[in-house]
């Protein structure tokens, strides 16, 4: 009962708003060869202050991350050099002890 009364009130409104009949586009949007729909890298987008600022911020962020990685690599290199020096001293000491004990 309630359903029927709701349908009677909704159907004329839906017809008025054209909600019952929807047209479906059967043709694809036409694009030129190579167009992807994305904004172009040059032209008007290139001169946009926001895009320039965004690109500069991204470059700065990447540069900072690379510098952090380089610092950690340099620290690791120094640690490995110290370790190699210690190993070399140990080898020299064992060689001296071996040569003195054989004589």
């Amino acid at each position: 009962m309630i359903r029927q009364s709701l349908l009677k009130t909704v159907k004329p409104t839906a017809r008025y708003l054209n909600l019952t009949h929807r047209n479906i586009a059967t043709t694809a949007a036409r694009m030129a060869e190579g167009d992807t729909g994305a904004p172009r890298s040059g032209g008007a987008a290139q001169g946009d202050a926001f895009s320039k600022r965004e690109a500069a911020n991204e470059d700065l962020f990447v540069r900072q991350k690379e510098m952090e990685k380089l610092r950690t690599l340099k620290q690791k290199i120094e640690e490995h050099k110290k370790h190699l020096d210690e190993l070399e001293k140990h080898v020299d000491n064992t060689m001296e002890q071996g040569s003195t004990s054989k004589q």
Side-chain angles (χ1 to χ4, degrees), residues 6 17 29 32 47-48 87 102:
L6 284 176
L17 294 174
D48 187 13
L87 289 176
K102 288 185 180 180

Side-chain angles (χ1 to χ4, degrees), residues 4-24:
Q4 290 176 349
S5 64
L6 284 176
L7 287 177
K8 287 180 185 178
T9 57
V10 171
K11 276 188 179 181
T13 309
R15 279 190 208 127
Y16 176 73
L17 294 174
N18 199 16
L19 295 177
T20 57
H21 304 299
R22 290 198 173 136
N23 295 330
I24 299 173

Side-chain angles (χ1 to χ4, degrees), residues 46-72:
Q46 189 176 12
D48 187 13
F50 177 76
S51 60
K52 284 182 180 179
R53 189 178 330 126
E54 185 178 7
N57 285 337
E58 287 175 4
D59 291 343
L60 179 64
F61 178 77
V62 169
R63 196 171 297 127
Q64 287 175 346
K65 290 296 179 183
E66 287 176 350
M67 291 301 290
E68 287 177 15
K69 288 179 184 179
L70 286 174
R71 282 189 207 109
T72 56

Side-chain angles (χ1 to χ4, degrees), residues 51-103:
S51 60
K52 284 182 180 179
R53 189 178 330 126
E54 185 178 7
N57 285 337
E58 287 175 4
D59 291 343
L60 179 64
F61 178 77
V62 169
R63 196 171 297 127
Q64 287 175 346
K65 290 296 179 183
E66 287 176 350
M67 291 301 290
E68 287 177 15
K69 288 179 184 179
L70 286 174
R71 282 189 207 109
T72 56
L73 287 174
K74 284 182 180 181
Q75 288 176 348
K76 287 182 181 181
I77 289 172
E78 290 299 319
E79 291 172 3
H80 285 287
K81 282 182 181 178
K82 288 179 184 177
H83 182 67
L84 285 174
D85 289 340
E86 292 173 1
L87 289 176
E88 189 175 347
K89 287 179 184 177
H90 179 69
V91 168
D92 289 342
N93 288 339
T94 55
M95 294 285 285
E96 287 178 7
Q97 288 178 356
S99 66
T100 57
S101 63
K102 288 185 180 180
Q103 291 180 359

